[in-house]
Amino acid sequence: MIKFILKGLLRDRSKFLFPVLTVFSGVMLTVFLYSWMNGVMTEIIRTTAHFQTGHVKITTRAYAKEEAQIPNDLALTDVDSLLTSVRLQFPDIYWVPRIRFSGLIDVPDEKGETKKQAPVFGIAVDLTGKNETENKILDIENKIVSGRMAVKPFDILVSTLLVEKLGITVGDNITLISTTMNGSLVMWNFIVAGTVNFGISGLDKSFIIADFSGMQKALDMENCAGEILGFFKNDLYQKEKSSEIALAFNSNYNDKNNEFSPVMTTLYNQNDLSSIIDMASKFTGIIAFIFIGAMSVVLWNSGLLSGLRRYGEFGVRLAMGETKKHIYGSLILESLITGIIGSVIGTIAGLAIGYYLEYKGINMASMFKNATLTVDNVIRADVTIYSYFIGFIPGICATILGSAISGINIFKRNTSQLFKELEA
Amino acid sequence: MKMYSFTVAVAALFLLNQQQDAQNIIKKVEKNRYSDNKYVVSTMIIHGRRAVRKIKAKSWIKGEEKSFTEYISPARERGTKMLKIKDNLWMYSPSSDRIIRISGNMLRQSLMGSDLTYEDMMEDPVISSHYSSVILGDTIITNRKCWKIKLKARTEDVSYKKRIILVDKERFVILQDERYAKSGTLLRKVSVKKMEFIQGKWIATHIIFKDMLKRGKGTEFIINEIKYNVKIPSYRFSKSSLKR
Amino acid sequence: MIIPVFAIKNTFRAGIKSWLNAFVLSLSIVSIIWLQGLYKGMYDQGTRAMIDAELGGGQYWVEGYDPYDPFSIEDSHGKITHVLSEMIKEKSAACILIARGMLYKQGRMYSILIKGIDPEQEILSIPSGILKEKNNGIIPALIGTRMAKNSGLKKGDIFTVQWKDSKGVFDAMNFQVSEVMKTTVQNIDNNQIWISLNTMQKIFNMHSEATIVTIKKDIKPVNAGLNWEFKNLDFLLQDMKTLVQAKTAGASILYIILIFLAMIAVFDTQTLSIFKRKKEISTLIAMGMTKNKVIALFTLEGMAYDILAVIIAAIYGVPLLIFTAVKGWKMPAGTDTYGFALGDVLYPVYSLNLVFWTLLFVFILTAIVSYVPSRKIAKIEPAKILRGSTF
């Protein structure tokens, strides 16, 4: 029976191609839109995770308490062995050590005297090490506007607006004035390897990225790090999983009296992000609901139309002795097949667009001039596990529903009446 | 009425006398402290939240306005030099091979993590010319008899409006210096733990400097070596000597 | 006139599929209006909060003041000119003095901003009234919720602040948190404390000086004299505008797809109905209607979906939109940490303008989408069709 129906479907363009195309485009749109809205909604969370909180974060207890002050004097010590142990215990997560810092950039003139100064803040991430994790997480290489990636420990990447403000170019020597872990004033020379535009307007005004090992030396933090961030390998925050990891980690270090013992916090529990995450998923839910509703109606509509178009055919089939039930059944089965085929290729296409836009994003930079916000100029899609399924709801259910409703008319009409419509 | 005027007059005279006495004491203190050229090797002990750090430095000091300090240890700080001329402070760091003037907000930063700020380092005006003084009474501290003297700023641009110092009656060394904010809040306390007689002068060789608003034990200063009336070439107090 | 009436009748009579198309259209219309309203509400509410608490009708900045340059704060204070002090006397302006200080909490120092404001001022919604001195030697201070969280201060806490006055004299005093204000405006909260202007001028030795003079809403700025430059709301609200634009831009893809979807539905239906009704079309042409008139009829039929959609949208959309506008969208507590002043509850704002343009846009698009398939009618040969053969 299925073989017969398949043959019928494949041979009749109007029976197969058009419905499948409709389902395909509808499902593709649903999948893509869902991923896109996810991306829009979670943009703030993603940026914050990448630059600030990670999906989970390890600091000392004391550092966690005073985090707003970037207290590097309370940094984690013996970081190498801590990293080794968390990498062993939680291999599904990228663990990266970081140092956040603030200070002044001092630009010398030919005589070495101060020409210009500007306050800066920055992060030191592993740029010169073997693994490319940080480059991937922060997408640094793609954000370089001029110059090159930092390859030596004292190479530094400076945000474009800061470069403008200080009047420096790639290759220039600059001095960072900051405070070491011990509280001493430090002056350290860096070479401007490249200028970066993170497209995050709040960052681009006074942000620098330095190499982790270089900054360890500069700030007298050998084998120390302000924080260790953990990222899920698919770069998507998983609320439950991260709490489990934090719980497991913290049970190993439960020395509450030692303010320097490490403690892990999840993104959800940092910086009031929990409520934002909850709201974002609520909002995405509403949008998805509206959209799937609309999509279902369209597909139902097309199912209905294709059913209506075929009354003539049903008339002939009834005349040839097929039962009404059988025709109705085959109609439903046909729509199930078109629904599945359309949904599968629609989902594939939607995911492809989604992944492409997750990778490339759409640049909305022109809209963000002069702002001081931490909002990424490039809006990206965010393909989640739900993206894989969400298209099937309108794709299959609505199509079947459409056929089912239009097919009811088969029972209502007389054979002769349906047959008569063949002439139409 | 007459009686009242008399009392006021006696009181005023007494006060004047007290002030003169106080001024004389201060002058003696300064004479004892003052030396045209000094060479000092000192150790600063910083009690941090995590560890204790010892920082050793040698300094050349000319009068009240010029000083040059070079840090010797730990390795991390070795070669860092600081030059102070009047209200200007320059710092040289060997790691960057640059001389940078410390100004503005940077002055409020802690000096190597100690209780002192760079600003505090700059604040040590000649007492007699910036403060009027009056004896408040006698007291004993670390088994030494002292005068308790109140210092009041004469001009509006002195960092500390009020100071209360305890001066050793025999040795004319300030054993304790409390520095107050305009509002009367105690901000800094300098206390002397040890005095030594070196080259014919009594000097404080172990001092504790405490930022009273901060938690902790304060920062210790120990003078390891001091030489008076040494010859200091004039290039020592030039910016170019920072890089040598 | 007969054609529009005819078209509407045809559409209404077409039954369930007309209603489905209209429903999809209505869904697009309502969603677009809702979302746009949400963003408009976000902008309106954010700007209102900022205007009320921070910006008033604009601000005069003393020469050299730049809120983004921490170096500039040090020297950013100047004598209030005669013009400005007259405005302040008339209660049409309020001045704020800003300086840097060190807050000591649990033995650590934090660099903060100290802001002085007149407790009697009525220009800004900051609860400055509580800053009146009580003569107990402790200065009442006001902080915001974020500052409270970052510094760990609570209402009633006494803390020490140290600063240097304009002459360079060290000073330190105890301040008491007399209130933690819940504000959505970060610029009056982050890393700062508010005290009475008089006290501040006194303790900082900055008599009759200020950093910012904020004027009352709807007052025309005048030339305030040298050293004072007026910054209007367009300038001061730039960031807020950008944020909302960013959000709107992100959502615009949703509008495009929703509309696209509705248009597919209309297009599908049009194509099919022309295919199904070619006999009717032929009859109409045979009876003397020009082809253009028939095209117009079908285009109008397509557009009639809009009318149906508006009716449906009105039935469920109007109550829904009113409901959301009244009840608002509850924002979680930390929402403003990364964005802007939004408030606890976000109330969408639906302007007539917004509704009008959305509808017009949808109408025009539907017209185009209905017209394109109808052009096929021009190719119809009525004689052939009526005889029985197809296109």
Side-chain angles (χ1 to χ4, degrees):
Chain A
M1 161 101 171
I2 289 182
K3 209 171 151 193
F4 176 74
I5 288 175
L6 271 176
K7 256 188 191 160
L9 280 174
L10 290 172
R11 284 178 187 163
D12 186 347
R13 213 161 60 119
S14 70
K15 229 169 157 184
F16 177 70
L17 193 66
F18 294 123
V20 166
L21 269 180
T22 317
V23 175
F24 162 77
S25 47
V27 169
M28 179 182 76
L29 282 177
T30 309
V31 172
F32 159 67
L33 187 89
Y34 178 78
S35 309
W36 174 258
M37 284 319 288
N38 245 344
V40 172
M41 286 302 133
T42 53
E43 187 276 321
I44 282 180
I45 298 163
R46 217 175 33 246
T47 308
T48 312
H50 288 169
F51 284 93
Q52 238 180 311
T53 59
H55 292 141
V56 290
K57 171 151 123 187
I58 307 171
T59 59
T60 64
R61 279 170 205 279
Y63 186 101
K65 245 190 222 163
E66 292 171 32
E67 214 182 313
Q69 313 292 330
I70 319 180
N72 276 333
D73 54 331
L74 309 176
L76 293 162
T77 50
D78 199 12
V79 166
D80 293 346
S81 66
L82 186 59
L83 270 173
T84 315
S85 95
V86 286
R87 280 179 182 146
L88 213 69
Q89 196 183 353
F90 310 104
D92 298 341
I93 287 190
Y94 290 129
W95 295 101
V96 291
R98 286 199 187 165
I99 297 171
R100 278 160 72 198
F101 58 91
S102 63
L104 284 177
I105 285 285
D106 185 292
V107 183
D109 61 11
E110 308 82 54
K111 289 180 199 155
E113 303 270 334
T114 298
K115 190 167 76 180
K116 258 183 183 163
Q117 282 187 341
V120 294
F121 70 102
I123 50 175
V125 303
D126 182 17
L127 297 177
T128 56
K130 271 174 276 159
N131 64 51
E132 291 268 282
T133 317
E134 287 282 25
N135 187 10
K136 251 190 274 167
I137 292 169
L138 296 171
D139 194 19
I140 298 170
E141 218 146 8
N142 287 323
K143 306 282 167 87
I144 292 177
V145 180
S146 62
R148 55 169 171 81
M149 182 69 178
V151 287
K152 289 186 197 131
F154 302 117
D155 280 350
I156 203 166
L157 302 169
V158 185
S159 60
T160 43
L161 293 173
L162 187 61
V163 164
E164 241 169 70
K165 192 169 158 189
L166 289 169
I168 49 177
T169 53
V170 171
D172 280 1
N173 253 308
I174 53 170
T175 307
L176 172 74
I177 306 174
S178 188
T179 319
T180 67
M181 188 173 167
N182 289 312
S184 291
L185 201 67
V186 62
M187 303 171 198
W188 205 275
N189 288 346
F190 290 90
I191 292 167
V192 181
T195 66
V196 279
N197 193 345
F198 271 95
I200 297 169
S201 309
L203 291 185
D204 285 339
K205 282 192 173 165
S206 54
F207 191 62
I208 49 183
I209 293 187
D211 175 54
F212 180 72
S213 66
M215 198 49 73
Q216 273 187 321
K217 282 213 182 70
L219 300 187
D220 200 8
M221 292 177 77
E222 293 297 326
N223 203 7
C224 296
E227 33 201 61
I228 294 175
L229 304 192
F231 293 93
F232 289 105
K233 291 200 169 158
N234 59 1
D235 197 24
L236 294 174
Y237 178 61
Q238 293 156 43
K239 195 170 140 189
E240 282 79 25
K241 190 92 186 288
S242 62
S243 325
E244 280 167 29
I245 290 168
L247 206 69
F249 178 87
N250 290 335
S251 65
N252 290 349
Y253 299 91
N254 50 5
D255 184 3
K256 290 229 164 64
N257 297 320
N258 179 4
E259 60 174 353
F260 296 110
S261 80
V263 64
M264 191 188 286
T265 42
T266 64
L267 178 144
Y268 192 78
N269 291 328
Q270 290 178 55
N271 301 48
D272 297 323
L273 277 176
S274 55
S275 38
I276 295 181
I277 295 174
D278 291 343
M279 188 189 69
S281 61
K282 203 159 111 191
F283 196 75
T284 317
I286 290 187
I287 301 285
F289 179 77
I290 293 176
F291 186 73
I292 290 172
M295 195 68 236
S296 302
V297 171
V298 169
L299 292 180
W300 173 16
N301 194 357
S302 88
L304 206 62
L305 285 174
S306 63
L308 290 174
R309 281 173 63 177
R310 293 170 55 193
Y311 282 173
E313 176 199 326
F314 298 150
V316 176
R317 283 164 69 177
L318 283 172
M320 284 164 71
E322 230 178 307
T323 62
K324 283 179 179 173
K325 232 179 177 174
H326 190 263
I327 293 176
Y328 189 69
S330 69
L331 181 69
I332 301 281
L333 203 61
E334 269 176 36
S335 66
L336 178 69
I337 292 168
T338 48
I340 290 174
I341 295 174
S343 297
V344 169
I345 53 174
T347 300
I348 293 170
L351 286 175
I353 304 175
Y355 275 122
Y356 177 74
L357 282 180
E358 185 173 305
Y359 173 67
K360 274 296 236 197
I362 296 177
N363 194 340
M364 309 229 169
S366 61
M367 316 199 74
F368 296 91
K369 269 183 222 153
N370 302 326
T372 50
L373 316 162
T374 314
V375 176
D376 201 331
N377 288 351
V378 179
I379 296 182
R380 287 162 197 283
D382 179 4
V383 178
T384 66
I385 188 84
Y386 296 110
S387 308
Y388 285 80
F389 303 113
I390 201 143
F392 286 83
I393 301 171
I396 296 175
C397 302
T399 314
I400 292 179
L401 194 68
S403 308
I405 289 179
S406 66
I408 290 172
N409 284 327
I410 298 171
F411 294 101
K412 283 192 196 152
R413 297 192 179 196
N414 301 324
T415 314
S416 58
Q417 216 178 336
L418 283 167
F419 193 60
K420 232 178 91 191
E421 290 193 8
L422 180 65
E423 294 164 19
Chain B
M1 189 64 204
K2 253 187 184 171
M3 191 61 194
Y4 174 73
S5 318
F6 177 73
T7 320
V8 172
V10 168
L13 204 68
F14 176 75
L15 202 69
L16 197 70
N17 216 17
Q18 286 272 329
Q19 276 180 355
Q20 264 175 354
D21 282 353
Q23 286 296 20
N24 284 334
I25 294 164
I26 300 293
K27 286 230 168 87
K28 280 186 183 163
V29 168
E30 280 177 345
K31 202 182 155 203
N32 184 41
R33 197 166 72 154
Y34 189 73
S35 150
D36 205 24
N37 289 333
K38 273 192 284 206
Y39 167 77
V40 181
V41 179
S42 63
T43 305
M44 185 162 70
I45 304 172
I46 300 160
H47 298 273
R49 207 156 149 182
R50 279 188 138 142
V52 175
R53 272 202 338 146
K54 287 186 183 176
I55 292 164
K56 207 166 180 184
K58 46 188 180 182
S59 311
W60 290 262
I61 302 155
K62 188 181 170 73
E64 298 288 339
E65 289 190 334
K66 291 179 180 174
S67 77
F68 181 96
T69 303
E70 181 177 348
Y71 291 89
I72 310 166
S73 70
R76 169 76 196 191
E77 311 290 351
R78 189 186 303 136
T80 302
K81 294 168 198 165
M82 251 185 282
L83 172 67
K84 181 195 137 184
I85 299 175
K86 285 185 183 168
D87 291 337
N88 296 308
L89 183 66
W90 289 273
M91 186 170 152
Y92 168 79
S93 82
S95 56
S96 64
D97 192 32
R98 286 202 55 199
I99 299 166
I100 285 171
R101 189 168 162 237
I102 311 285
S103 61
N105 225 11
M106 267 199 280
L107 280 170
R108 294 199 191 136
Q109 296 227 12
S110 144
L111 171 74
M112 312 216 152
S114 69
D115 268 29
L116 272 98
T117 61
Y118 289 91
E119 212 161 31
D120 290 322
M121 252 186 58
M122 312 286 293
E123 309 288 346
D124 203 6
V126 179
I127 295 174
S128 55
S129 53
H130 287 86
Y131 289 94
S132 64
S133 48
V134 62
I135 298 175
L136 295 177
D138 298 336
T139 184
I140 292 174
I141 189 167
T142 51
N143 289 326
R144 302 292 308 169
K145 283 183 188 162
C146 294
W147 287 292
K148 190 173 186 180
I149 296 173
K150 185 170 122 182
L151 305 176
K152 216 178 121 198
R154 284 182 210 268
T155 48
E156 260 197 278
D157 53 356
V158 181
S159 290
Y160 299 99
K161 272 265 127 69
K162 183 180 111 179
R163 288 162 73 173
I164 290 178
I165 56 173
L166 305 183
V167 179
D168 188 303
K169 280 188 173 180
E170 261 177 64
R171 299 172 179 171
F172 292 95
V173 172
I174 298 175
L175 292 184
Q176 186 177 293
D177 180 355
E178 291 176 332
R179 300 172 182 182
Y180 292 86
K182 205 161 70 173
S183 62
T185 313
L186 177 58
L187 295 179
R188 315 267 187 269
K189 187 170 166 181
V190 185
S191 12
V192 172
K193 292 288 156 213
K194 193 177 164 196
M195 283 179 284
E196 280 177 73
F197 193 69
I198 300 167
Q199 282 187 295
K201 283 175 195 246
W202 278 101
I203 60 146
T205 52
H206 186 178
I207 303 161
I208 294 177
F209 191 96
K210 172 103 180 73
D211 179 341
M212 298 306 285
L213 301 179
K214 261 177 144 178
R215 202 162 48 175
K217 290 186 199 160
T219 300
E220 290 179 67
F221 261 110
I222 291 165
I223 292 182
N224 307 103
E225 186 190 342
I226 187 161
K227 279 184 201 156
Y228 293 106
N229 303 319
V230 288
K231 254 203 163 160
I232 306 173
S234 61
Y235 74 77
R236 177 64 73 193
F237 301 110
S238 67
K239 270 166 74 183
S240 58
S241 75
L242 284 167
K243 276 201 179 190
R244 280 174 196 233
Chain C
M1 195 54 217
I2 190 142
I3 290 176
V5 177
F6 206 22
I8 290 171
K9 273 189 181 166
N10 277 346
T11 309
F12 272 73
R13 280 179 194 148
I16 190 155
K17 71 175 194 263
S18 291
W19 291 103
L20 282 180
N21 284 336
F23 180 68
V24 173
L25 257 176
S26 76
L27 214 54
S28 311
I29 294 170
V30 173
S31 315
I32 291 172
I33 293 176
W34 176 64
L35 271 174
Q36 288 282 16
L38 209 58
Y39 289 125
K40 175 115 175 45
M42 191 159 136
Y43 178 71
D44 283 8
Q45 223 162 299
T47 47
R48 208 180 317 123
M50 285 170 83
I51 286 170
D52 287 349
E54 186 197 358
L55 306 174
Q59 294 177 331
Y60 289 96
W61 286 6
V62 77
E63 196 183 12
Y65 172 67
D66 175 0
Y68 296 118
D69 180 2
F71 293 138
S72 79
I73 304 291
E74 216 80 2
D75 306 310
S76 298
H77 52 92
K79 282 261 181 285
I80 299 163
T81 58
H82 181 69
V83 182
L84 291 175
S85 69
E86 283 302 307
M87 285 170 88
I88 294 164
K89 241 180 253 163
E90 287 163 14
K91 296 233 174 254
S92 51
C95 63
I96 292 164
L97 180 60
I98 306 175
R100 203 162 270 288
M102 285 284 183
L103 182 144
Y104 284 77
K105 179 89 205 308
Q106 288 172 341
R108 270 179 101 83
M109 304 189 295
Y110 306 108
S111 178
I112 54 158
L113 289 181
I114 306 171
K115 292 187 174 177
I117 188 168
D118 181 7
E120 311 281 339
Q121 64 84 24
E122 290 160 9
I123 310 293
L124 302 175
S125 63
I126 294 171
S128 51
I130 57 149
L131 297 175
K132 271 186 217 147
E133 296 242 25
K134 292 176 197 115
N135 283 329
N136 57 356
I138 294 174
I139 301 170
L142 179 68
I143 59 171
T145 39
R146 291 175 203 80
M147 175 69 182
K149 191 173 168 260
N150 284 342
S151 63
L153 289 168
K154 298 183 301 293
K155 186 177 172 177
D157 278 3
I158 293 175
F159 59 97
T160 311
V161 176
Q162 182 194 297
W163 64 89
K164 269 192 144 184
D165 72 9
S166 65
K167 293 277 189 335
V169 181
F170 272 116
D171 204 351
M173 272 188 183
N174 283 336
F175 292 30
Q176 182 168 34
V177 182
S178 48
E179 196 61 69
V180 175
M181 65 176 161
K182 196 164 162 19
T183 175
T184 54
V185 184
Q186 295 193 43
N187 293 347
I188 63 161
D189 180 344
N190 273 345
N191 222 26
Q192 55 195 272
I193 59 170
W194 292 83
I195 60 172
S196 138
L197 178 69
N198 254 328
T199 314
M200 174 136 178
Q201 287 172 335
K202 210 161 55 196
I203 61 179
F204 274 86
N205 210 346
M206 297 178 183
H207 301 285
S208 50
E209 290 190 31
T211 307
I212 293 174
V213 177
T214 307
I215 62 169
K216 201 173 179 171
K217 271 173 261 179
D218 309 320
I219 277 192
K220 274 229 163 98
V222 288
N223 189 350
L226 271 173
N227 300 339
W228 290 92
E229 198 188 334
F230 186 73
K231 306 282 180 188
N232 62 17
L233 288 178
D234 279 346
F235 173 84
L236 298 167
L237 288 168
Q238 182 63 44
D239 283 355
M240 182 74 199
K241 225 176 251 171
T242 317
L243 175 81
V244 174
Q245 272 171 358
K247 293 278 156 209
T248 318
S252 56
I253 274 218
L254 178 76
Y255 307 154
I256 294 169
I257 293 183
L258 271 175
I259 294 269
F260 181 67
L261 213 63
M263 292 308 135
I264 288 184
V266 174
F267 188 87
D268 262 12
T269 317
Q270 284 291 95
T271 316
L272 203 79
S273 80
I274 288 163
F275 175 77
K276 269 191 76 179
R277 288 161 63 192
K278 52 197 179 221
K279 243 183 188 170
E280 180 192 334
I281 294 166
S282 304
T283 314
L284 287 172
I285 295 171
M287 281 167 70
M289 229 178 185
T290 61
K291 279 184 178 173
N292 278 343
K293 274 191 179 161
V294 181
I295 291 173
L297 174 71
F298 273 78
T299 308
L300 281 173
E301 271 189 46
M303 288 178 71
Y305 291 129
D306 282 329
I307 296 168
L308 267 183
V310 170
I311 295 170
I312 299 172
I315 293 169
Y316 74 91
V318 170
L320 202 72
L321 293 180
I322 290 175
F323 176 75
T324 53
V326 173
K327 191 136 182 296
W329 176 283
K330 179 115 178 46
M331 302 301 273
T335 311
D336 55 291
T337 314
Y338 289 89
F340 260 85
L342 288 179
D344 291 343
V345 181
L346 184 57
Y347 296 97
V349 173
Y350 311 111
S351 62
L352 272 180
N353 222 351
L354 169 69
V355 175
F356 174 77
W357 286 110
T358 310
L359 289 181
L360 186 71
F361 177 67
V362 173
F363 263 85
I364 291 172
L365 264 182
T366 324
I368 296 169
V369 171
S370 311
Y371 170 73
V372 172
S374 308
R375 278 182 319 174
K376 257 195 172 172
I377 292 169
K379 288 188 197 149
I380 284 182
E381 290 175 50
K384 271 190 189 168
I385 300 284
L386 290 175
R387 245 192 293 131
S389 58
T390 46
F391 280 84

